[in-house]
Amino acid sequence: MPGVLADLRRRCPELDVRLLECDPYPAAELVARGEVDLALVQDWPTVPLSVQEGLSRLDLGTDPVDLLLPAEDGLAELVAVPVQRLRGRRWISVPPGNICHDWLVRTLREAGEEPDVRYQVGEFETQIALVAAGLGIGLVPRLGRGALPPGVVARPVVPEPTRRVYALWRTQASRRPAITEALAVMRERSALLGAPAR
């Protein structure tokens, strides 16, 4: 979002843009109620976000999710980690009620295990620090993290978990210049990230 906001400010300096970070569930509700004009949200194919009637959507691409673990963990030796190998592990995740947490719980239950989520924190940076301290493993989206600290490695999971990233707005506002410009910038930025708009 920093790049999107900076580009939008350069292109439309008179536009009053504000940012509110929240989980996709309340973000979609805020757009539906007209409390925000546009939301950048994500969901998972197995945990789709319920989008109310009257909202439009622009798909911006997908965001792969990697397993983060201490470098000395035996799974770090694998090129890719089968989801079945994730059983019996201590997890670091966002709190319940967050779409990422819901995905983790559902995925591990489908693999035959109730996940042992020991540490629940909202920020990916804190999750990564907990992994670096050897307290557990976590699944963190690539767009949700920067460079990893020494001692933490990322490995793909098989099957690969991915988030779908898209913009939501009220359909009746589709012709508003602020909406069309913001969507154009998001589309351009998603192409730069290698997540082409569909």
Side-chain angles (χ1 to χ4, degrees), residues 144-168:
R145 67 173 199 255
L148 295 176
V152 175
V153 298
R155 294 292 179 262
V157 175
V158 180
E160 181 182 57
T162 57
R163 303 189 301 175
R164 300 179 296 195
V165 180
Y166 53 96
L168 287 179

Side-chain angles (χ1 to χ4, degrees), residues 33-135:
R33 290 195 309 259
E35 294 179 37
V36 298
D37 294 320
L38 180 67
L40 180 64
V41 297
Q42 49 87 15
D43 70 4
W44 306 81
T46 58
V47 186
L49 181 65
S50 177
V51 177
Q52 294 183 20
E53 190 173 323
L55 297 183
S56 291
R57 166 183 175 150
L58 171 66
D59 292 324
L60 296 168
T62 58
D63 181 16
V65 178
D66 292 317
L67 177 67
L68 300 187
L69 58 160
E72 66 273 4
D73 189 296
L75 294 179
E77 297 174 8
L78 301 176
V79 174
V81 180
V83 73
Q84 294 80 9
R85 297 282 304 268
L86 301 178
R87 292 178 170 173
R89 307 304 297 250
R90 288 178 306 194
W91 286 92
I92 299 161
S93 179
V94 291
N98 180 296
I99 200 164
C100 294
H101 184 274
D102 294 350
W103 177 88
L104 174 67
V105 169
R106 180 178 291 184
T107 299
L108 292 179
R109 283 179 180 162
E110 288 172 0
E113 176 170 279
E114 187 66 29
D116 180 9
V117 181
R118 299 273 178 109
Y119 306 98
Q120 300 174 18
V121 293
E123 296 294 326
F124 290 134
E125 187 174 320
T126 304
Q127 290 180 36
I128 293 167
L130 292 169
V131 171
L135 297 171

